[in-house]
Amino acid sequence: MEKAFIIGTRDDRVPMASLAKGPRPVINQFELEKIRHSTGMVRCPGRKHNNPGKCSAALVESDQTIVTAVHCFFDEFQRWREPLSECTFSNFANPQNKIPLDFKSSHFFTTNPNLEPNNDRVVVRLSRKIEGARPFHIDFQPVREGEFLLVASIFQQGMVNPVPESEPVGQVCFNRMTHPASEKEGSLLIADCDSSFGGSGALVLTRRFGVLVAVGTLVAVSGDSMNYHPFDPVLNRSRILGFDSHHWARILSFVASSEQAAD
């Protein structure tokens, strides 16, 4: 994502803290702190003469496991960023604590996100636990059409509303269409969320029985020629990989095996 993609007439991305204020806050202060502790940035080196990669990522089901988009580990020429051993994750609560990713303990749902965009997800174990982390639980129940979504991401390029890089970016948007999972691909949510460079890999939340849970990962947008135009399911929409039961089971299995190996 090299430029902003805005769906609708305005950029709705705001500082996450602002969503915890006002007469009808979207989240409470406890949830804001949980987002600050669980979400953050993956940084990876680029090849010589290329810019380093920065993507959103988040802790799920474990204080030592993050989920993000596979394409975050490729450069603009579709080559693996090298060396991957220098990729790190840091959350907003402690951005100076850059923790290396342990790719020996990872699961890529695809290694070719261009050919398999509906599997553009990776779960990676961190080399050490994040103290005080508050990972989000995954809810694999299908996301309904029109259901509320909350995107938690890092600082993104081209935002209209200024957001300090030290704070998470928040946006309220809605799922407009769900493509169910198949035997080969995960479920896909077609939504009206705005995004740009840095938004890939962002955790997508919704509220179930009053509790914020993880339901997907933002992976891509379209609409270069439709910027600031109404939502369109083909020309102007964001793509979110849902945490369907297949992905959820694989992630839980990965977390369990990683923790057992660590013990």
Side-chain angles (χ1 to χ4, degrees):
M1 301 179 185
E2 296 181 351
K3 58 183 71 176
F5 293 93
I6 309 302
I7 300 171
T9 58
R10 66 180 186 181
D11 184 350
D12 290 321
R13 294 169 295 178
V14 297
M16 186 68 76
S18 69
L19 298 179
K21 299 177 181 178
R24 299 182 66 181
V26 175
I27 57 175
N28 58 42
Q29 289 296 324
F30 172 82
E31 291 168 334
L32 174 61
E33 284 306 303
K34 183 170 183 176
I35 290 169
R36 293 188 70 249
H37 280 80
S38 65
T39 62
M41 179 186 296
V42 163
R43 297 175 178 85
C44 283
R47 289 173 181 260
K48 190 176 182 181
H49 307 307
N50 288 344
N51 293 326
K54 295 181 181 179
C55 275
S56 301
L59 291 158
V60 293
E61 301 293 350
S62 162
D63 56 4
Q64 203 169 346
T65 303
I66 64 165
V67 65
T68 187
V70 172
H71 74 258
C72 293
F73 301 107
F74 288 82
D75 67 15
E76 57 267 44
F77 300 106
Q78 302 306 307
R79 302 175 300 193
W80 288 99
R81 295 189 179 277
E82 295 180 358
L84 284 179
S85 59
E86 294 182 10
C87 295
T88 62
F89 171 77
S90 58
N91 65 4
F92 285 103
N94 189 5
Q96 302 307 315
N97 185 23
K98 297 179 176 63
I99 302 177
L101 308 187
D102 180 9
F103 285 99
K104 293 180 181 178
S105 185
S106 61
H107 180 74
F108 287 78
F109 285 86
T110 181
T111 54
N112 195 330
N114 278 351
L115 292 181
E116 296 183 296
N118 290 4
N119 282 325
D120 188 3
R121 170 176 286 146
V122 57
V123 55
V124 184
R125 183 174 171 83
L126 303 179
S127 62
R128 60 180 183 273
K129 293 183 178 182
I130 295 184
E131 220 173 299
R134 301 171 186 174
F136 275 97
H137 290 298
I138 292 171
D139 192 316
F140 64 88
Q141 300 301 320
V143 180
R144 301 182 305 274
E145 182 177 324
E147 189 166 355
F148 149 88
L149 302 174
L150 174 63
V151 181
S153 63
I154 64 172
F155 179 85
Q156 298 179 46
Q157 178 177 299
M159 289 187 296
V160 172
N161 305 297
V163 179
E165 292 192 35
S166 59
E167 292 298 325
V169 176
Q171 186 190 1
V172 173
C173 46
F174 297 90
N175 179 44
R176 298 296 195 93
M177 185 183 301
T178 300
H179 294 286
S182 68
E183 292 183 1
K184 294 183 179 181
E185 295 185 320
S187 60
L188 179 66
L189 311 181
I190 302 298
D192 57 7
C193 316
D194 304 321
S195 192
S196 53
F197 180 80
S200 295
L203 194 65
V204 180
L205 307 164
T206 194
R207 197 174 291 282
R208 300 270 170 88
F209 302 104
V211 178
L212 283 181
V213 292
V215 293
T217 308
L218 182 69
V219 293
V221 290
S222 67
D224 188 12
S225 61
M226 297 284 287
N227 217 20
Y228 286 97
H229 279 63
F231 168 84
D232 182 282
V234 176
L235 299 175
N236 201 37
R237 80 283 194 272
S238 49
R239 299 174 65 253
I240 296 167
L241 293 192
F243 286 118
D244 54 83
S245 58
H246 171 68
H247 279 202
W248 176 74
R250 293 295 295 270
I251 292 172
L252 284 187
S253 175
F254 170 84
V255 170
S257 62
S258 295
E259 291 181 345
Q260 187 176 17
D263 294 337

